[in-house]
Short mmCIF file of all heavy atoms in Angstrom, two decimals:
data_model
loop_
_atom_site.label_atom_id
_atom_site.label_comp_id
_atom_site.label_asym_id
_atom_site.label_seq_id
_atom_site.Cartn_x
_atom_site.Cartn_y
_atom_site.Cartn_z
N MET A 1 147.09 63.32 -0.25
CA MET A 1 148.39 63.73 0.26
C MET A 1 148.90 64.91 -0.56
O MET A 1 148.89 64.85 -1.78
CB MET A 1 149.36 62.56 0.14
CG MET A 1 150.71 62.85 0.77
SD MET A 1 151.79 61.40 0.73
CE MET A 1 152.58 61.63 -0.84
N SER A 2 149.34 65.96 0.10
CA SER A 2 149.88 67.08 -0.65
C SER A 2 151.40 66.94 -0.78
O SER A 2 152.06 66.42 0.11
CB SER A 2 149.52 68.41 0.02
OG SER A 2 150.23 68.52 1.22
N VAL A 3 151.91 67.39 -1.91
CA VAL A 3 153.34 67.32 -2.16
C VAL A 3 153.93 68.71 -2.06
O VAL A 3 153.39 69.66 -2.62
CB VAL A 3 153.62 66.73 -3.57
CG1 VAL A 3 155.11 66.69 -3.84
CG2 VAL A 3 152.99 65.36 -3.69
N GLN A 4 155.01 68.87 -1.32
CA GLN A 4 155.65 70.17 -1.20
C GLN A 4 157.00 70.13 -1.90
O GLN A 4 157.72 69.15 -1.84
CB GLN A 4 155.85 70.52 0.27
CG GLN A 4 154.53 70.78 0.98
CD GLN A 4 154.75 71.42 2.33
OE1 GLN A 4 155.63 71.05 3.04
NE2 GLN A 4 153.92 72.41 2.63
N PHE A 5 157.31 71.24 -2.59
CA PHE A 5 158.58 71.35 -3.28
C PHE A 5 159.38 72.48 -2.67
O PHE A 5 158.83 73.41 -2.08
CB PHE A 5 158.34 71.62 -4.77
CG PHE A 5 157.64 70.49 -5.48
CD1 PHE A 5 156.28 70.53 -5.70
CD2 PHE A 5 158.35 69.39 -5.92
CE1 PHE A 5 155.63 69.48 -6.33
CE2 PHE A 5 157.71 68.34 -6.56
CZ PHE A 5 156.35 68.38 -6.76
N ALA A 6 160.69 72.43 -2.83
CA ALA A 6 161.55 73.51 -2.37
C ALA A 6 161.24 74.78 -3.14
O ALA A 6 160.87 74.74 -4.32
CB ALA A 6 163.02 73.14 -2.57
N THR A 7 161.35 75.92 -2.47
CA THR A 7 161.24 77.20 -3.16
C THR A 7 162.57 77.94 -3.01
O THR A 7 163.29 77.76 -2.03
CB THR A 7 160.10 78.07 -2.61
OG1 THR A 7 160.28 78.23 -1.21
CG2 THR A 7 158.74 77.45 -2.88
N TYR A 8 162.87 78.76 -4.00
CA TYR A 8 164.17 79.43 -4.07
C TYR A 8 163.95 80.94 -4.10
O TYR A 8 163.69 81.51 -5.17
CB TYR A 8 164.94 78.94 -5.30
CG TYR A 8 165.21 77.46 -5.24
CD1 TYR A 8 164.30 76.55 -5.80
CD2 TYR A 8 166.33 76.96 -4.60
CE1 TYR A 8 164.53 75.19 -5.70
CE2 TYR A 8 166.57 75.60 -4.49
CZ TYR A 8 165.66 74.72 -5.06
OH TYR A 8 165.87 73.38 -4.96
N PRO A 9 164.02 81.61 -2.94
CA PRO A 9 163.77 83.05 -2.89
C PRO A 9 164.69 83.85 -3.82
O PRO A 9 164.34 84.94 -4.26
CB PRO A 9 164.03 83.41 -1.42
CG PRO A 9 163.83 82.13 -0.69
CD PRO A 9 164.29 81.04 -1.61
N SER A 10 165.86 83.33 -4.13
CA SER A 10 166.78 84.06 -5.02
C SER A 10 166.22 84.19 -6.43
O SER A 10 166.73 84.98 -7.23
CB SER A 10 168.15 83.36 -5.06
OG SER A 10 168.00 82.05 -5.54
N LEU A 11 165.17 83.43 -6.77
CA LEU A 11 164.57 83.53 -8.11
C LEU A 11 163.48 84.61 -8.19
O LEU A 11 163.02 84.94 -9.28
CB LEU A 11 163.96 82.19 -8.52
CG LEU A 11 164.97 81.08 -8.79
CD1 LEU A 11 164.25 79.75 -9.03
CD2 LEU A 11 165.85 81.43 -9.97
N THR A 12 163.07 85.14 -7.05
CA THR A 12 162.01 86.15 -7.04
C THR A 12 162.41 87.34 -7.92
O THR A 12 163.50 87.89 -7.78
CB THR A 12 161.75 86.65 -5.60
OG1 THR A 12 161.37 85.53 -4.81
CG2 THR A 12 160.62 87.69 -5.59
N ASP A 13 161.51 87.66 -8.86
CA ASP A 13 161.68 88.81 -9.77
C ASP A 13 162.83 88.66 -10.76
O ASP A 13 163.11 89.60 -11.52
CB ASP A 13 161.82 90.13 -9.00
CG ASP A 13 160.51 90.57 -8.38
OD1 ASP A 13 159.44 90.17 -8.90
OD2 ASP A 13 160.54 91.28 -7.37
N ARG A 14 163.50 87.51 -10.78
CA ARG A 14 164.52 87.30 -11.81
C ARG A 14 163.83 87.07 -13.15
O ARG A 14 162.75 86.46 -13.20
CB ARG A 14 165.42 86.09 -11.48
CG ARG A 14 166.21 86.28 -10.21
CD ARG A 14 167.15 87.47 -10.25
NE ARG A 14 168.21 87.35 -11.23
CZ ARG A 14 169.43 86.87 -10.96
NH1 ARG A 14 169.74 86.51 -9.74
NH2 ARG A 14 170.33 86.78 -11.91
N VAL A 15 164.44 87.52 -14.24
CA VAL A 15 163.87 87.33 -15.57
C VAL A 15 164.41 86.02 -16.15
O VAL A 15 165.62 85.79 -16.15
CB VAL A 15 164.21 88.51 -16.50
CG1 VAL A 15 163.69 88.25 -17.91
CG2 VAL A 15 163.61 89.80 -15.95
N VAL A 16 163.48 85.18 -16.61
CA VAL A 16 163.84 83.87 -17.15
C VAL A 16 163.23 83.74 -18.55
O VAL A 16 162.06 84.06 -18.75
CB VAL A 16 163.29 82.74 -16.25
CG1 VAL A 16 163.57 81.37 -16.84
CG2 VAL A 16 163.86 82.85 -14.85
N LEU A 17 164.02 83.28 -19.52
CA LEU A 17 163.54 83.05 -20.88
C LEU A 17 163.67 81.56 -21.18
O LEU A 17 164.76 81.00 -21.06
CB LEU A 17 164.36 83.86 -21.89
CG LEU A 17 164.03 83.63 -23.36
CD1 LEU A 17 162.58 84.02 -23.67
CD2 LEU A 17 165.00 84.41 -24.24
N ILE A 18 162.54 80.94 -21.57
CA ILE A 18 162.52 79.49 -21.83
C ILE A 18 162.09 79.26 -23.27
O ILE A 18 161.03 79.72 -23.69
CB ILE A 18 161.56 78.78 -20.85
CG1 ILE A 18 162.08 78.95 -19.42
CG2 ILE A 18 161.42 77.30 -21.22
CD1 ILE A 18 161.14 78.45 -18.35
N SER A 19 162.91 78.54 -24.03
CA SER A 19 162.51 78.18 -25.40
C SER A 19 161.73 76.87 -25.37
O SER A 19 161.99 76.00 -24.54
CB SER A 19 163.74 78.07 -26.30
OG SER A 19 164.61 77.08 -25.83
N GLY A 20 160.75 76.73 -26.27
CA GLY A 20 159.92 75.53 -26.28
C GLY A 20 159.09 75.41 -25.02
O GLY A 20 158.88 74.31 -24.50
N GLY A 21 158.56 76.53 -24.53
CA GLY A 21 157.91 76.55 -23.22
C GLY A 21 156.43 76.23 -23.23
O GLY A 21 155.80 76.24 -22.17
N ALA A 22 155.84 75.91 -24.37
CA ALA A 22 154.38 75.71 -24.42
C ALA A 22 153.95 74.33 -23.98
O ALA A 22 152.82 74.13 -23.57
CB ALA A 22 153.85 75.99 -25.82
N SER A 23 154.85 73.34 -24.09
CA SER A 23 154.45 71.97 -23.73
C SER A 23 155.66 71.21 -23.22
O SER A 23 156.80 71.67 -23.31
CB SER A 23 153.82 71.25 -24.93
OG SER A 23 154.80 71.03 -25.93
N GLY A 24 155.39 70.03 -22.69
CA GLY A 24 156.46 69.13 -22.26
C GLY A 24 157.31 69.70 -21.14
O GLY A 24 156.83 70.39 -20.24
N ILE A 25 158.60 69.40 -21.22
CA ILE A 25 159.54 69.83 -20.19
C ILE A 25 159.58 71.35 -20.08
O ILE A 25 159.65 71.90 -18.97
CB ILE A 25 160.96 69.28 -20.51
CG1 ILE A 25 160.95 67.75 -20.46
CG2 ILE A 25 161.99 69.85 -19.54
CD1 ILE A 25 162.18 67.12 -21.07
N GLY A 26 159.52 72.03 -21.24
CA GLY A 26 159.56 73.50 -21.22
C GLY A 26 158.41 74.09 -20.43
O GLY A 26 158.59 75.03 -19.64
N ALA A 27 157.20 73.54 -20.61
CA ALA A 27 156.03 74.05 -19.88
C ALA A 27 156.19 73.82 -18.39
O ALA A 27 155.82 74.67 -17.57
CB ALA A 27 154.75 73.41 -20.40
N ASP A 28 156.73 72.67 -18.01
CA ASP A 28 156.94 72.42 -16.58
C ASP A 28 158.01 73.36 -16.01
O ASP A 28 157.92 73.76 -14.83
CB ASP A 28 157.31 70.96 -16.33
CG ASP A 28 156.09 70.05 -16.34
OD1 ASP A 28 154.96 70.57 -16.14
OD2 ASP A 28 156.25 68.84 -16.54
N MET A 29 158.99 73.73 -16.83
CA MET A 29 159.98 74.72 -16.37
C MET A 29 159.32 76.08 -16.19
O MET A 29 159.61 76.80 -15.22
CB MET A 29 161.14 74.82 -17.38
CG MET A 29 161.96 73.55 -17.50
SD MET A 29 162.73 73.05 -15.95
CE MET A 29 163.93 74.35 -15.76
N VAL A 30 158.43 76.44 -17.13
CA VAL A 30 157.70 77.71 -16.99
C VAL A 30 156.93 77.70 -15.68
O VAL A 30 157.01 78.64 -14.88
CB VAL A 30 156.73 77.92 -18.18
CG1 VAL A 30 155.80 79.10 -17.92
CG2 VAL A 30 157.51 78.14 -19.48
N ARG A 31 156.17 76.62 -15.43
CA ARG A 31 155.37 76.53 -14.19
C ARG A 31 156.27 76.63 -12.95
O ARG A 31 155.93 77.31 -11.98
CB ARG A 31 154.59 75.20 -14.15
CG ARG A 31 153.48 75.11 -15.17
CD ARG A 31 152.69 73.81 -14.97
NE ARG A 31 151.64 73.69 -15.97
CZ ARG A 31 151.76 72.99 -17.10
NH1 ARG A 31 152.89 72.33 -17.36
NH2 ARG A 31 150.77 72.95 -17.97
N ALA A 32 157.40 75.93 -12.98
CA ALA A 32 158.27 75.90 -11.79
C ALA A 32 158.87 77.28 -11.52
O ALA A 32 158.94 77.72 -10.36
CB ALA A 32 159.37 74.86 -11.99
N PHE A 33 159.32 77.98 -12.58
CA PHE A 33 159.90 79.31 -12.35
C PHE A 33 158.83 80.30 -11.90
O PHE A 33 159.09 81.14 -11.02
CB PHE A 33 160.62 79.81 -13.61
CG PHE A 33 162.02 79.26 -13.74
CD1 PHE A 33 162.32 78.29 -14.70
CD2 PHE A 33 163.05 79.70 -12.92
CE1 PHE A 33 163.60 77.78 -14.82
CE2 PHE A 33 164.34 79.20 -13.03
CZ PHE A 33 164.61 78.23 -13.99
N VAL A 34 157.63 80.21 -12.48
CA VAL A 34 156.53 81.10 -12.03
C VAL A 34 156.23 80.83 -10.55
O VAL A 34 156.04 81.77 -9.77
CB VAL A 34 155.28 80.89 -12.91
CG1 VAL A 34 154.05 81.55 -12.27
CG2 VAL A 34 155.52 81.47 -14.30
N ALA A 35 156.19 79.56 -10.16
CA ALA A 35 155.90 79.22 -8.77
C ALA A 35 156.95 79.78 -7.81
O ALA A 35 156.68 79.98 -6.62
CB ALA A 35 155.80 77.69 -8.61
N ASN A 36 158.15 80.05 -8.34
CA ASN A 36 159.22 80.62 -7.52
C ASN A 36 159.30 82.14 -7.64
O ASN A 36 160.27 82.75 -7.16
CB ASN A 36 160.56 80.00 -7.90
CG ASN A 36 160.77 78.66 -7.22
OD1 ASN A 36 161.26 78.61 -6.10
ND2 ASN A 36 160.35 77.58 -7.86
N GLY A 37 158.30 82.74 -8.28
CA GLY A 37 158.22 84.20 -8.31
C GLY A 37 159.06 84.86 -9.39
O GLY A 37 159.23 86.08 -9.37
N ALA A 38 159.58 84.07 -10.34
CA ALA A 38 160.37 84.67 -11.42
C ALA A 38 159.45 85.30 -12.47
O ALA A 38 158.27 84.98 -12.55
CB ALA A 38 161.24 83.61 -12.08
N ARG A 39 160.02 86.22 -13.24
CA ARG A 39 159.29 86.85 -14.35
C ARG A 39 159.66 86.07 -15.60
O ARG A 39 160.77 86.19 -16.12
CB ARG A 39 159.68 88.32 -14.45
CG ARG A 39 159.34 89.08 -13.17
CD ARG A 39 160.07 90.37 -13.06
NE ARG A 39 159.75 91.27 -14.16
CZ ARG A 39 160.45 92.36 -14.45
NH1 ARG A 39 161.52 92.67 -13.75
NH2 ARG A 39 160.09 93.13 -15.43
N VAL A 40 158.71 85.25 -16.07
CA VAL A 40 159.03 84.25 -17.09
C VAL A 40 158.51 84.67 -18.47
O VAL A 40 157.34 85.04 -18.62
CB VAL A 40 158.42 82.88 -16.72
CG1 VAL A 40 158.78 81.83 -17.76
CG2 VAL A 40 158.88 82.45 -15.33
N CYS A 41 159.39 84.60 -19.47
CA CYS A 41 159.00 84.72 -20.88
C CYS A 41 159.27 83.36 -21.51
O CYS A 41 160.23 82.69 -21.14
CB CYS A 41 159.88 85.74 -21.61
SG CYS A 41 159.90 87.37 -20.88
N PHE A 42 158.40 82.95 -22.44
CA PHE A 42 158.75 81.74 -23.17
C PHE A 42 158.40 81.88 -24.64
O PHE A 42 157.55 82.68 -25.02
CB PHE A 42 158.10 80.48 -22.56
CG PHE A 42 156.60 80.39 -22.66
CD1 PHE A 42 156.00 79.76 -23.74
CD2 PHE A 42 155.80 80.92 -21.66
CE1 PHE A 42 154.62 79.65 -23.83
CE2 PHE A 42 154.42 80.82 -21.73
CZ PHE A 42 153.82 80.19 -22.81
N LEU A 43 159.11 81.11 -25.46
CA LEU A 43 158.94 81.10 -26.91
C LEU A 43 158.48 79.71 -27.32
O LEU A 43 158.88 78.72 -26.73
CB LEU A 43 160.28 81.37 -27.61
CG LEU A 43 161.09 82.57 -27.12
CD1 LEU A 43 162.47 82.54 -27.75
CD2 LEU A 43 160.35 83.85 -27.46
N ASP A 44 157.62 79.65 -28.34
CA ASP A 44 157.23 78.34 -28.86
C ASP A 44 156.60 78.52 -30.24
O ASP A 44 156.10 79.60 -30.55
CB ASP A 44 156.25 77.62 -27.92
CG ASP A 44 156.34 76.11 -28.04
OD1 ASP A 44 155.94 75.55 -29.09
OD2 ASP A 44 156.84 75.46 -27.11
N VAL A 45 156.62 77.46 -31.05
CA VAL A 45 155.98 77.50 -32.36
C VAL A 45 154.49 77.14 -32.27
O VAL A 45 153.77 77.29 -33.25
CB VAL A 45 156.69 76.57 -33.36
CG1 VAL A 45 158.08 77.08 -33.66
CG2 VAL A 45 156.75 75.14 -32.82
N GLN A 46 154.05 76.61 -31.13
CA GLN A 46 152.65 76.20 -30.98
C GLN A 46 151.84 77.28 -30.24
O GLN A 46 152.04 77.49 -29.04
CB GLN A 46 152.56 74.92 -30.14
CG GLN A 46 153.25 73.71 -30.73
CD GLN A 46 152.94 72.49 -29.90
OE1 GLN A 46 151.91 71.85 -30.08
NE2 GLN A 46 153.82 72.19 -28.95
N ASP A 47 150.94 77.94 -30.98
CA ASP A 47 150.16 79.02 -30.37
C ASP A 47 149.15 78.53 -29.33
O ASP A 47 149.04 79.10 -28.25
CB ASP A 47 149.39 79.80 -31.45
CG ASP A 47 150.34 80.61 -32.33
OD1 ASP A 47 151.46 80.87 -31.89
OD2 ASP A 47 149.94 80.96 -33.46
N GLU A 48 148.40 77.47 -29.69
CA GLU A 48 147.28 77.06 -28.81
C GLU A 48 147.73 76.61 -27.43
O GLU A 48 147.23 77.12 -26.41
CB GLU A 48 146.45 75.97 -29.50
CG GLU A 48 145.07 75.80 -28.89
CD GLU A 48 144.20 74.89 -29.72
OE1 GLU A 48 143.97 75.19 -30.91
OE2 GLU A 48 143.75 73.88 -29.16
N PRO A 49 148.70 75.68 -27.32
CA PRO A 49 149.14 75.31 -25.97
C PRO A 49 149.84 76.45 -25.24
O PRO A 49 149.77 76.54 -24.00
CB PRO A 49 150.08 74.12 -26.19
CG PRO A 49 150.38 74.10 -27.63
CD PRO A 49 149.29 74.82 -28.34
N ALA A 50 150.49 77.34 -26.00
CA ALA A 50 151.13 78.50 -25.36
C ALA A 50 150.08 79.40 -24.71
O ALA A 50 150.23 79.81 -23.55
CB ALA A 50 151.94 79.29 -26.38
N GLU A 51 149.00 79.67 -25.46
CA GLU A 51 147.94 80.53 -24.90
C GLU A 51 147.25 79.84 -23.72
O GLU A 51 146.89 80.50 -22.74
CB GLU A 51 146.95 80.89 -26.01
CG GLU A 51 147.56 81.90 -26.99
CD GLU A 51 146.80 82.02 -28.30
OE1 GLU A 51 145.72 81.39 -28.43
OE2 GLU A 51 147.29 82.73 -29.19
N ALA A 52 147.07 78.52 -23.80
CA ALA A 52 146.44 77.79 -22.69
C ALA A 52 147.32 77.88 -21.43
O ALA A 52 146.81 78.04 -20.32
CB ALA A 52 146.22 76.33 -23.07
N LEU A 53 148.63 77.80 -21.61
CA LEU A 53 149.53 77.89 -20.45
C LEU A 53 149.49 79.29 -19.83
O LEU A 53 149.47 79.43 -18.61
CB LEU A 53 150.95 77.51 -20.86
CG LEU A 53 152.00 77.51 -19.74
CD1 LEU A 53 151.60 76.55 -18.61
CD2 LEU A 53 153.37 77.14 -20.30
N VAL A 54 149.44 80.30 -20.69
CA VAL A 54 149.34 81.67 -20.17
C VAL A 54 148.05 81.83 -19.37
O VAL A 54 148.04 82.40 -18.27
CB VAL A 54 149.42 82.70 -21.32
CG1 VAL A 54 149.06 84.10 -20.83
CG2 VAL A 54 150.82 82.70 -21.93
N ARG A 55 146.93 81.28 -19.92
CA ARG A 55 145.65 81.37 -19.18
C ARG A 55 145.75 80.64 -17.85
O ARG A 55 145.29 81.12 -16.82
CB ARG A 55 144.51 80.78 -20.03
CG ARG A 55 144.01 81.70 -21.13
CD ARG A 55 142.66 81.22 -21.67
NE ARG A 55 142.74 79.88 -22.25
CZ ARG A 55 143.10 79.61 -23.51
NH1 ARG A 55 143.40 80.60 -24.33
NH2 ARG A 55 143.15 78.38 -23.96
N GLU A 56 146.36 79.45 -17.87
CA GLU A 56 146.49 78.65 -16.64
C GLU A 56 147.25 79.42 -15.56
O GLU A 56 146.90 79.35 -14.38
CB GLU A 56 147.26 77.35 -16.97
CG GLU A 56 147.61 76.51 -15.75
CD GLU A 56 148.62 75.41 -16.09
OE1 GLU A 56 148.51 74.78 -17.17
OE2 GLU A 56 149.54 75.19 -15.28
N LEU A 57 148.25 80.19 -15.95
CA LEU A 57 149.13 80.82 -14.97
C LEU A 57 148.74 82.26 -14.65
O LEU A 57 149.33 82.88 -13.77
CB LEU A 57 150.58 80.77 -15.48
CG LEU A 57 151.15 79.35 -15.60
CD1 LEU A 57 152.52 79.38 -16.25
CD2 LEU A 57 151.22 78.67 -14.23
N SER A 58 147.73 82.79 -15.38
CA SER A 58 147.35 84.20 -15.17
C SER A 58 146.37 84.32 -14.01
O SER A 58 145.61 83.41 -13.74
CB SER A 58 146.71 84.77 -16.43
OG SER A 58 147.67 84.82 -17.45
N1 NAD B 101 168.64 64.17 -22.55
C1 NAD B 101 167.54 63.59 -22.09
O1 NAD B 101 167.58 62.65 -21.33
C2 NAD B 101 166.22 64.11 -22.52
C3 NAD B 101 165.08 63.59 -21.95
C4 NAD B 101 163.85 64.11 -22.34
C5 NAD B 101 163.81 65.12 -23.31
N2 NAD B 101 164.95 65.58 -23.87
C6 NAD B 101 164.90 66.66 -24.86
O2 NAD B 101 164.36 67.83 -24.22
C7 NAD B 101 163.59 68.56 -25.19
C8 NAD B 101 162.16 68.77 -24.67
O3 NAD B 101 161.54 67.49 -24.52
P1 NAD B 101 159.99 67.38 -24.43
O4 NAD B 101 159.66 65.97 -24.14
O5 NAD B 101 159.49 68.45 -23.47
O6 NAD B 101 159.59 67.72 -25.93
P2 NAD B 101 158.23 68.33 -26.50
O7 NAD B 101 158.25 68.00 -27.95
O8 NAD B 101 157.07 67.91 -25.67
O9 NAD B 101 158.43 69.88 -26.26
C9 NAD B 101 159.23 70.65 -27.09
C10 NAD B 101 158.60 72.05 -27.21
O10 NAD B 101 159.43 72.85 -28.05
C11 NAD B 101 158.61 73.51 -28.99
N3 NAD B 101 159.39 73.84 -30.18
C12 NAD B 101 159.77 73.01 -31.17
N4 NAD B 101 160.46 73.70 -32.12
C13 NAD B 101 160.54 74.97 -31.69
C14 NAD B 101 161.13 76.17 -32.23
N5 NAD B 101 161.80 76.16 -33.39
N6 NAD B 101 161.02 77.31 -31.53
C15 NAD B 101 160.35 77.34 -30.34
N7 NAD B 101 159.75 76.25 -29.79
C16 NAD B 101 159.85 75.07 -30.46
C17 NAD B 101 157.48 72.55 -29.25
O11 NAD B 101 156.36 73.22 -29.81
C18 NAD B 101 157.21 72.02 -27.85
O12 NAD B 101 156.33 72.85 -27.13
C19 NAD B 101 163.62 67.74 -26.48
O13 NAD B 101 164.63 68.28 -27.33
C20 NAD B 101 163.98 66.35 -26.01
O14 NAD B 101 164.64 65.62 -27.03
C21 NAD B 101 166.16 65.09 -23.46
#
């Protein structure tokens, strides 16, 4: 079964900055904003999961 989520066209190309974005809730926020077409920057103290998330979304 596929799950569909709402998309928000008003987020397209908006710049979003997320702190603690490499894991947990922050990473899911990064994924959700990227899925809505936003230009997402995130900060985190953990390099490895941050780089893995960038690879996942690139
Ligand atoms: N109010 C609530 O009901 C509720 C529920 C769940 C989580 N929370 C809070 O939400 C936040 C996120 O929860 P989580 O489960 O995703 O936590 P988490 O520990 O999985 O994620 C936190 C992220 O922040 C990063 N981080 C920590 N210190 C940092 C710093 N100085 N600069 C940049 N990044 C930093 C960590 O590396 C990690 O990636 C926590 O503060 C948690 O307490 C609140």
Side-chain angles (χ1 to χ4, degrees):
M1 186 176 89
S2 69
V3 178
Q4 292 193 318
F5 296 98
T7 55
Y8 299 91
S10 60
L11 291 174
T12 301
D13 288 335
R14 297 300 295 266
V15 176
V16 176
L17 176 62
I18 296 172
S19 61
S23 67
I25 296 166
D28 280 339
M29 295 300 291
V30 170
R31 291 185 182 96
F33 278 108
V34 167
N36 278 273
R39 299 162 61 194
V40 181
C41 304
F42 67 92
L43 310 170
D44 207 291
V45 293
Q46 298 187 85
D47 290 339
E48 198 171 302
E51 288 164 5
L53 182 58
V54 170
R55 283 195 299 274
E56 173 193 320
L57 295 173
S58 294

